[in-house]
Amino acid sequence: MPSPFRLAAAAAALLAVATGASAQIVLTASSWLSPTHTLTETQKEWCAQLEQRTAGKARCNLLPRPVSAPPATFDAVRNGLADLSFTVHGYTPGRFLLTQMVEVPFLGDSPEATSVAFQRMYQRYPQFAEEHKGVKVLAVFTHGPGIIFNTKRPIAKMDDLSGLKFRVGGGMVNEISKSLGMNVTLKPAPESYELLSAGVMDGTLFPAESVEAFKIDKVIKHATRFPGGLYNTSFVFMMNQAKYDSLPADVKKVVDELSGEVAARMFGRGWDKVDRRGMAFMQAAGVQFTAADATFVKAVTDKTAPVVDAWVKAAEAKGLKDPRKVLGEFRAEIKKLQ
């Protein structure tokens, strides 16, 4: 029969285990993209680093399916349906204005550079944070340079765009494509295959990565690339504010250390990698590439100038002082980082 001392020791050990287990912090992490998409994988990597650096005190529960449709993700995190996720600013038209700065044409060819530069602008100008009230922003970032894909013909000049229907993701890309006279429909990226394969849409605007990610290689025949990209897309990686506020100081410190430029660089670097893979994938699939020449680039620049001007005016009205100067700083940061 065990001695009272041994029974007491065993009870103490069980209590310690139970206390440790109950003390573990679990963050529910949601992704509206596939488990193999670079953003899902980067979120998983961020969670792994959190668990490692807190010695297991905090970890993520990676949900098997998203808690909401992509456009509702910001509110889902704000309202506590998930503790952690990311979304595209442009999926909720009219909600985010200042972030459209990072979506204008011809910014840069490296998602890591544009993501880190975007994060620096976010930290430098508090007006950006004002648009994100209700969540704890861990980082902002971008995808790779935008490409025009279609199923019909090469696009080498402005006139080649006419008569085609395109899916776009919203935000500044919607205004850019309209300024070019494109017939566009706002739809989330995961719907692209169905739209293209059914002939509802003739093309889509995406970074290189997305051809493989959304399995449209069998329907896309042509791709037109622009130096610095025709457009970009801005994202936010975020945590429920109440969850963040409830974290103990040591865990909060690790979250902070993994946020900002660290997280922006993680997401951007991941996208750089899959963009390179995407280009190789398209070449193997026989997608025909067209490089936009100087004449085409100049025509796009002229056509989209009013879109940039409109953003400048709207950003100024929203309290951002000298938005054109801020855009210039953003471009300079990208150039320095590339």
Side-chain angles (χ1 to χ4, degrees), residues 33 55 73 93 124 174 183 234 246 309 319 335:
L33 292 164
T73 303
R124 192 175 299 171
N174 192 37
N183 181 358
S234 73
S246 73
D309 292 342
K335 188 176 181 180

Side-chain angles (χ1 to χ4, degrees), residues 164-169 173-187 201 203 205:
L164 300 178
K165 299 176 300 233
F166 291 89
R167 180 223 70 96
V168 297
V173 65
N174 192 37
E175 302 307 314
I176 289 170
S177 53
K178 285 180 179 179
S179 74
L180 302 181
M182 298 169 69
N183 181 358
V184 297
T185 299
L186 180 65
K187 293 286 185 181
M201 296 289 149
L205 276 65

Side-chain angles (χ1 to χ4, degrees), residues 98-125 128 140-143 172 228 231-235 264 308 311 320 322-338:
L98 301 185
T99 57
Q100 291 179 12
M101 177 187 75
V102 305
E103 301 186 344
V104 302
F106 316 137
L107 285 174
D109 294 312
S110 165
E112 182 176 351
T114 52
S115 294
V116 173
F118 184 13
Q119 181 64 38
R120 289 178 182 177
M121 294 299 103
Y122 183 92
Q123 292 172 190
R124 192 175 299 171
Y125 294 97
F128 284 92
V140 289
F141 62 96
T142 77
H143 70 27
M172 182 66 85
Y231 74 101
N232 217 309
T233 293
S234 73
F235 292 78
V308 177
W311 173 82
L320 184 63
D322 200 350
R324 203 175 295 279
K325 176 177 173 289
V326 177
L327 176 57
E329 289 177 21
F330 179 50
R331 290 186 184 277
E333 286 287 349
I334 295 169
K335 188 176 181 180
K336 182 167 62 177
L337 288 160
Q338 284 190 154

Side-chain angles (χ1 to χ4, degrees), residues 253-293:
K253 181 174 182 291
V254 173
V255 169
D256 291 344
E257 289 170 352
L258 289 172
S259 300
E261 285 192 30
V262 172
R265 195 176 292 280
M266 285 173 63
F267 279 100
R269 185 177 293 150
W271 215 302
D272 261 324
K273 179 181 177 181
V274 290
D275 266 358
R276 289 191 295 270
R277 175 183 165 94
M279 290 300 297
F281 185 82
M282 284 187 283
Q283 288 166 352
V287 174
Q288 296 181 36
F289 287 91
T290 299
D293 62 16

